[in-house]
Amino acid sequence: MLIYTIKRFFLAILVALTVSVITFSLNQLSGDPAIAMAGETASDSDIEYIRKLYGFDRPVHEQYLSWVARAAQGDLGQSFYFRIPVTDLLAERLPVSMILGVSAITFAIVLSVPLGVLAAMRPNSWLDRFALGLSVVGQAMPSFWLALMLIVLLGVMFPILPMTGSDSWQNFVMPTIVLGYYATPAIMRLTRAGMLEVLGSDYIRTARAKGLKRHTILFKHALRNAVIPVVSLAAVQFGFMLGGSIVIESIFALHGAGYLAWESIGRLDLPVVQAIVLVFSLFYIVLTFLSDLLNAWLDPRIRVS
Amino acid sequence: MTIAIDDKGARPGLPSANQITGPTPGQQLRKRIFGHYGLLIGAGILGLIFLMALSAPFLAPHDPYAQSLLARVKPPVWLGGSWENMLGTDVLGRDYLSRLMYGAQISLLIGFAAAFISGVIGTAMGVAAGYFGGKVDLVVTFLITVRLSMPVVLVALAVVALVGGSLEVVIAVLGLLLWDRYAVVMRSATMQIRQMDYVASARAVGCSTSRILLTEIMPNIVNNLIVVATLEMAHAILLEAALSFLGMGVQPPLPSWGLMVAEGKDYILFEPWLITIPGVALFMMVLAINLMGDGIRDVTAPENRN
């Protein structure tokens, strides 16, 4: 287990470094960032000043190394637009995205795991069909459109929820539904498939032959094994959700990191964009690292291969 | 005495070859296709959308770019509009039906092109990793992990904003971002086929690596490839719509469905059909592609062949 952990840890570090290189190279895409910052009316000396101030005149690899070194110490640079440290901005905005992410994944799990289990217990029943229909619709639904439809339904026709803002818990209800529904099809399908496989296995037949109670078999023997892959999928989906939050947060004007990212992209405020890409990626890397460790701990076969 | 080899002169009373061997694989496949309602429905809807896109230059009632400030936001025919503009007109007075028809071209083009580019990249990586294993596999797996760690929407938005939004840029960005699932699926499929005896015998006979890959491996993983391609096409179409909706995708005045939703957004309170119509179109298209993908998977899966 220790060897597996160390190996997996180094992989995570390597992935994080590669991601940081890609994130940094966003800088190079925009042409000359000094010109973009100075604006169209700036004189050559102004551009030169900005270039020196932000270090754009140094070789690319030097710029990268100093950026990464400062990022590792928690200094992600200054926002071009707000003129305050990016770290302060993130400290203010990230919690909102985290709350949204956690509530959305909770919504998704609470909806899809029981439905998946019930569907697997009675394959081809009306409940199974319903679950299948829900996941087929969920896969095809553009999330931004579902969000607008919910606004029409719950904000305009039956005005029971606020449409935009991030002041109270009610502001999180609609974004949670939209973002959670996005993750539902995958989790439900995996739960159903896992349960079907486990329920057909020999040890469940043995448990039944022993005369164990139905719910003991279901919860103690079957669900525990079927849920292992669901845990790692949920971790992956949580990472995807942070990425998807950019669409949802900008529709509901929820002042989280996703909304900040969208605003900053519009303003070409690169330090903020880079910081958010980096933070979301790191978050995903940490999540998958932890879920892999959990899986290896639960299933010894993974550690060997 | 000679024995008739050809069965043209089959004697009456004897069963024909077909009755002895049962239906041919082609007949079995046809039977499975026409027994799969999801596949048929998906193919039907997608076919209609395809026709709509292709026939847009001939059948569209109006020019999709022609503005008419006197005829702004006219409602569709079932909400009291006229047959002149069946689906109404948008904020700038452009005919909604014509824009919808031309918009189908954009969505399909982006879906096909992005799925194709990412398919070439992902398949090459996945097949190489699965066939050669070892260091190649290690590198490809690493690249997949890196790609999965980066949030697609965010990276695509940032790149489009920095490079400048256009149809070509959106296709290129999506094509370069969506290869991960191809690589994952092709890698594991190739690993499985590689173990087969016929691959070993092809190698023993002295076939070149490229010949083995092309004639032994590829034909046996192509069904997985098609299934992933449909999924990624749907994915690309949804992402394009989301990017255009956020203003960082296809640029106006092009009639992208995502852009149409964005343009109607401000009228959500009083004219909700402005966002309902392109939204439903988008939903139907993605649903049809997904149904087709699931259907192709069911129909071609080896375990369903009997």
Side-chain angles (χ1 to χ4, degrees):
Chain A
M1 185 75 195
L2 185 67
I3 296 173
Y4 176 82
T5 310
I6 294 171
K7 268 194 193 163
R8 187 62 191 73
F9 181 72
F10 273 105
L11 178 68
I13 297 286
L14 215 56
V15 170
L17 281 176
T18 316
V19 166
S20 76
V21 172
I22 297 173
T23 310
F24 175 78
S25 58
L26 281 178
N27 240 341
Q28 311 300 318
L29 272 178
S30 60
D32 193 335
I35 297 176
M37 278 178 67
E40 281 169 14
T41 54
S43 66
D44 285 352
S45 63
D46 287 347
I47 294 173
E48 202 54 39
Y49 175 72
I50 288 177
R51 202 170 279 154
K52 282 245 161 57
L53 186 68
Y54 286 92
F56 295 137
D57 53 340
R58 288 181 296 156
V60 175
H61 64 273
E62 256 181 48
Q63 287 185 43
Y64 168 72
L65 286 177
S66 72
W67 179 73
V68 158
R70 276 185 282 119
Q73 295 162 25
D75 174 11
L76 291 161
Q78 282 244 335
S79 158
F80 293 163
Y81 181 81
F82 292 104
R83 313 271 167 192
I84 60 169
V86 175
T87 326
D88 294 355
L89 267 177
L90 283 183
E92 190 191 318
R93 302 294 195 95
L94 262 182
V96 175
S97 294
M98 288 298 156
I99 294 173
L100 176 60
V102 170
S103 55
I105 196 76
T106 313
F107 174 79
I109 290 173
V110 167
L111 179 69
S112 52
V113 170
L115 257 180
V117 170
L118 288 173
M121 280 165 65
R122 293 201 169 69
N124 291 323
S125 64
W126 64 266
L127 199 83
D128 189 19
R129 295 272 156 80
F130 171 72
L132 182 69
L134 202 69
S135 81
V136 168
V137 169
Q139 271 179 325
M141 186 80 81
S143 57
F144 64 90
W145 186 63
L146 177 63
L148 291 174
M149 289 291 116
L150 269 187
I151 289 181
V152 171
L153 188 71
L154 299 178
V156 181
M157 286 165 69
F158 306 98
I160 47 175
L161 288 169
M163 285 186 273
T164 55
S166 49
D167 306 322
S168 73
W169 63 269
Q170 290 154 333
N171 288 107
F172 286 87
V173 176
M174 285 199 275
T176 298
I177 295 174
V178 177
L179 205 53
Y181 188 36
Y182 168 76
T184 299
I187 298 180
M188 184 151 58
R189 285 186 174 201
L190 194 66
T191 311
R192 181 180 178 275
M195 274 306 270
L196 272 180
E197 197 188 318
V198 170
L199 285 177
S201 62
D202 288 343
Y203 68 86
I204 295 294
R205 199 183 50 196
T206 312
R208 250 189 222 131
K210 267 191 344 189
L212 289 184
K213 278 181 195 139
R214 235 178 108 85
H215 68 263
T216 319
I217 296 175
L218 200 64
F219 291 106
K220 219 173 157 190
H221 296 262
L223 192 59
R224 267 196 196 179
N225 281 299
V227 104
I228 293 176
V230 175
V231 171
S232 47
L233 180 71
V236 170
Q237 291 285 338
F238 188 72
F240 287 159
M241 270 181 187
L242 281 181
S245 70
I246 183 168
V247 181
I248 306 303
E249 283 179 10
S250 47
I251 292 176
F252 291 102
L254 203 60
H255 285 261
Y259 189 54
L260 178 67
W262 181 58
E263 287 178 316
S264 303
I265 285 171
R267 299 174 188 134
L268 290 180
D269 193 350
L270 267 179
V272 181
V273 178
Q274 285 176 320
I276 294 174
V277 173
L278 194 66
V279 168
F280 280 7
S281 304
L282 287 181
F283 196 77
Y284 179 89
I285 292 168
V286 171
L287 270 181
T288 45
F289 173 65
L290 292 178
S291 86
D292 278 2
L293 286 195
L294 183 70
N295 270 330
W297 182 58
L298 290 172
D299 187 347
R301 283 170 295 181
I302 298 174
R303 285 175 236 161
V304 186
S305 64
Chain B
M1 204 179 134
T2 53
I3 300 166
I5 296 173
D6 61 342
D7 53 306
K8 271 183 203 156
R11 275 168 290 176
L14 281 184
S16 72
N18 203 359
Q19 279 166 296
I20 296 171
T21 56
T24 62
Q27 286 168 330
Q28 286 178 26
L29 183 68
R30 241 167 283 147
K31 201 176 159 202
R32 281 200 306 274
I33 289 175
F34 285 103
H36 197 293
Y37 292 116
L39 180 60
L40 291 180
I41 295 171
I45 301 176
L46 196 63
L48 280 180
I49 296 178
F50 211 80
L51 272 181
M52 187 170 105
L54 284 183
S55 65
F58 317 107
L59 292 186
H62 298 273
D63 179 352
Y65 302 107
Q67 306 181 4
S68 163
L69 293 180
L70 292 175
R72 296 172 64 228
V73 200
K74 284 210 306 199
V77 77
W78 62 89
L79 290 174
S82 66
W83 285 99
E84 172 69 17
N85 305 100
M86 232 164 79
L87 296 182
T89 59
D90 73 356
V91 187
L92 295 173
R94 295 172 294 196
D95 182 52
Y96 228 42
L97 177 63
S98 308
R99 285 183 76 70
L100 203 69
M101 290 175 83
Y102 278 93
Q105 289 182 343
I106 294 181
S107 286
L108 285 174
L109 176 68
I110 287 183
F112 272 116
F116 179 78
I117 297 173
S118 52
V120 171
I121 302 173
T123 308
M125 287 172 69
V127 169
Y131 187 77
F132 297 110
K135 281 186 183 136
V136 181
D137 188 25
L138 224 59
V139 172
V140 168
T141 315
F142 178 72
L143 288 177
I144 295 173
T145 319
V146 170
R147 164 49 208 88
L148 283 174
S149 320
M150 317 232 4
V152 180
V153 186
L154 193 49
V155 173
L157 272 175
V159 173
V160 172
L162 290 171
V163 181
S166 71
L167 197 63
E168 295 82 4
V169 170
V170 172
I171 289 175
V173 169
L174 292 181
L176 293 176
L177 277 174
L178 299 181
W179 46 264
D180 50 294
R181 199 175 346 205
Y182 285 102
V184 171
V185 173
M186 290 293 104
R187 175 177 168 269
S188 60
T190 308
M191 275 178 166
Q192 260 178 24
I193 300 297
R194 207 187 107 87
Q195 319 251 318
M196 296 288 168
D197 288 339
Y198 55 79
V199 176
S201 48
R203 211 176 299 142
V205 173
C207 292
S208 67
T209 307
S210 59
R211 194 194 151 94
I212 294 175
L213 287 179
L214 284 178
T215 62
E216 310 289 337
I217 306 268
M218 274 316 273
N220 289 297
I221 58 174
V222 80
N223 58 332
N224 302 29
L225 181 61
I226 294 171
V227 172
V228 180
T230 58
L231 282 175
E232 287 311 322
M233 187 177 160
H235 195 184
I237 289 172
L238 280 179
L239 273 176
E240 179 273 323
L243 292 182
S244 300
F245 174 75
L246 290 176
M248 303 290 170
V250 175
Q251 296 299 311
L254 280 182
S256 151
W257 290 352
L259 207 55
M260 285 167 76
V261 175
E263 287 163 353
K265 196 180 57 171
D266 296 335
Y267 292 73
I268 186 171
L269 297 185
F270 304 109
E271 312 288 349
W273 54 268
L274 274 175
I275 55 172
T276 317
I277 291 173
V280 169
L282 200 55
F283 172 74
M284 295 300 282
M285 179 187 270
V286 175
L287 183 75
I289 296 172
N290 281 341
L291 283 178
M292 255 187 81
D294 286 353
I296 294 171
R297 189 196 54 215
D298 292 347
V299 166
T300 58
E303 60 267 24
N304 295 344
R305 282 209 183 145
N306 294 315

